[in-house]
Amino acid sequence: METDQYCRYIPVYRMPRTALDLTAPASDALLKNRKNAWIQLAGHPGSFAPAGPNTIWKRRITKDNTETKAYEALMDDMAHDIVPIYYREVEYNSEFFIEMEDLLQHFTNPNIMDIKIGKRTFLESEVKNPVQRKDLYEKMVALDPNAPTETERKNKAITKLRYMQFREQESSTAEFGFRIEALRLSGEAPETNLKKVKTKEQNLRLLTKYLRNNEKARCEICEKLRCVRKKFEKSEFLMSHEMIGSSLLVMYDEEGHTGVWMIDFSKAMAVEEGITLTHRKSWVLGNHEDGYLSGLDSLIKIFEELEFPKSSRSPASETFPSHSTADR
């Protein structure tokens, strides 16, 4: 059961926004003195670098500063403690970076999971073009030769919208509103080949593997997910923005620390005045619904239903469907 008391509770120390120890990112001295080697599970390679003892820099991939503005707004919002602390945007070697809290500082050799949330993975502006594209048809066929319709086979071309919705059907995004993007178990290499994990049973097995029979971590993560949902629903910023491509970063370690944070806001777009988002209604072009809360509902339900195997077989031995080389 979720409680206001829990949602006010922050279980780990968070450095004040004014307490900065700034140095050049990825300096040798910092790397030698960090409790954890810094880990990037998903996203553009090389997007992150250690900045200070408790901060990281995230490179701005796009020309606009949408993500910076999102973090600035969230620092004064109901949702400020379910996102990393934002400090500032900086320019370094002619590139722009967001300086934010290094969430790894709260853990020792954590188990980490990146989960994309939402039923829509693209902005409306990205799929308004009705042009039929042969390259997207070829990508679809490479992933699933049986996917094209008779008309699409004849034309050997599809629209961007058709391709994006096809991709959502290939994973658990379309049905459940979330997709486990990557995970890393303590002491093991990251797993990022998870785009074909689609069914409820496959997700249950993957979460069982991630949790390593740790019932305490399961319960605490589940409670934190409920807290994220509650704060999201009360957030003026989140309830007035499309949340496309946003993730939940989930971590726990053997010392009993757990954490869940919302990350990735480069496509957090404000909706026009007069549009009210639920983040649960089905999407049709123009209503800007993203399915974020329906995806969070599904994820919470699966965490609640998860039961660890009673057999001696280790969940770490489970294998999961991977995407084809055409998808890399």
Side-chain angles (χ1 to χ4, degrees):
M1 179 181 297
E2 65 188 45
T3 65
D4 289 334
Q5 181 179 4
Y6 178 82
C7 285
R8 289 196 298 267
Y9 173 59
I10 303 174
V12 290
Y13 171 73
R14 309 192 84 187
M15 185 176 64
R17 292 176 65 187
T18 55
L20 294 177
D21 182 6
L22 302 177
T23 63
S27 71
D28 291 339
L30 284 173
L31 291 174
K32 288 178 181 177
N33 288 286
R34 298 175 74 81
K35 183 168 65 171
N36 299 286
W38 205 84
I39 303 159
Q40 180 181 348
L41 279 187
H44 297 274
S47 296
F48 296 87
N54 300 298
T55 66
I56 57 170
W57 282 10
K58 179 180 181 181
R59 179 182 287 109
R60 188 205 290 177
I61 302 298
T62 58
K63 292 182 179 180
D64 61 64
N65 62 345
T66 300
E67 187 160 33
T68 297
K69 291 180 179 178
Y71 272 113
E72 288 176 343
L74 284 165
M75 289 301 94
D76 297 318
D77 185 87
M78 166 67 72
H80 69 92
D81 55 357
I82 59 171
V83 301
I85 297 174
Y86 164 82
Y87 293 102
R88 62 175 187 166
E89 184 175 80
V90 295
E91 186 177 1
Y92 182 79
N93 285 350
S94 300
E95 292 188 283
F96 287 95
F97 296 82
I98 296 173
E99 182 160 17
M100 67 178 73
E101 175 186 18
D102 180 1
L103 298 172
L104 288 174
Q105 68 175 295
H106 307 304
F107 300 87
T108 301
N109 298 321
N111 300 282
I112 311 172
M113 185 162 54
D114 182 307
I115 309 173
K116 288 291 180 188
I117 306 291
K119 288 198 168 188
R120 178 160 58 91
T121 60
F122 51 87
L123 294 171
E124 293 193 354
S125 59
E126 295 178 291
V127 296
K128 286 184 176 179
N129 192 333
V131 170
Q132 299 278 329
R133 292 174 52 177
K134 293 185 181 298
D135 62 322
L136 295 181
Y137 173 83
E138 291 169 0
K139 284 186 177 183
M140 173 190 277
V141 172
L143 291 169
D144 184 355
N146 299 316
T149 64
E150 185 177 339
T151 300
E152 289 167 348
R153 291 184 191 282
K154 182 179 178 180
N155 296 333
K156 295 188 181 302
I158 57 174
T159 65
K160 177 74 173 290
L161 175 58
R162 168 70 169 116
Y163 178 73
M164 295 303 291
Q165 291 183 320
F166 157 73
R167 289 301 311 275
E168 291 169 350
Q169 292 286 344
E170 287 287 281
S171 71
S172 55
T173 293
E175 182 176 358
F176 296 104
F178 72 84
R179 181 183 78 231
I180 299 176
E181 187 82 352
L183 64 83
R184 183 255 192 186
L185 299 178
S186 177
E188 299 184 16
E191 290 187 55
T192 58
N193 229 6
L194 303 173
K195 288 183 171 62
K196 289 283 188 175
V197 174
K198 179 177 181 177
T199 67
K200 179 179 179 180
E201 290 71 25
Q202 288 169 343
N203 278 287
L204 282 168
R205 292 204 305 273
L206 190 54
L207 290 175
T208 299
K209 176 180 180 178
Y210 169 71
L211 287 167
R212 292 178 155 179
N213 296 328
N214 190 326
E215 177 64 14
K216 180 177 182 290
R218 184 194 72 83
C219 291
E220 291 188 359
I221 290 170
C222 197
E223 190 68 20
K224 285 179 169 62
L225 289 170
R226 296 189 194 102
C227 182
V228 169
R229 179 172 62 186
K230 188 166 190 173
K231 295 214 166 188
F232 189 114
E233 291 173 327
K234 293 181 178 180
S235 166
E236 182 178 346
F237 178 88
L238 297 174
M239 291 303 294
S240 62
H241 284 69
E242 293 180 66
M243 301 306 297
I244 304 300
S246 184
S247 289
L248 287 176
L249 187 65
V250 181
M251 289 193 272
Y252 76 94
D253 63 21
E254 296 305 314
E255 295 184 5
H257 304 119
T258 58
V260 177
W261 292 271
M262 290 183 66
I263 58 172
D264 300 333
F265 302 107
S266 62
K267 293 185 178 181
M269 301 296 179
V271 297
E272 302 165 11
E273 188 175 350
I275 294 178
T276 301
L277 293 176
T278 69
H279 296 283
R280 287 190 173 96
K281 287 182 180 177
S282 298
W283 174 72
V284 294
L285 187 62
N287 75 355
H288 298 279
E289 291 287 354
D290 52 30
Y292 191 102
L293 286 176
S294 58
L296 189 50
D297 292 339
S298 297
L299 182 62
I300 290 169
K301 186 176 181 181
I302 285 182
F303 261 95
E304 289 173 339
E305 294 179 3
L306 192 152
E307 294 182 359
F308 297 120
K310 294 182 173 62
S311 68
S312 59
R313 181 184 179 187
S314 170
S317 66
E318 293 282 355
T319 58
F320 299 91
S322 62
H323 58 292
S324 73
T325 54
D327 191 32
R328 293 177 185 170

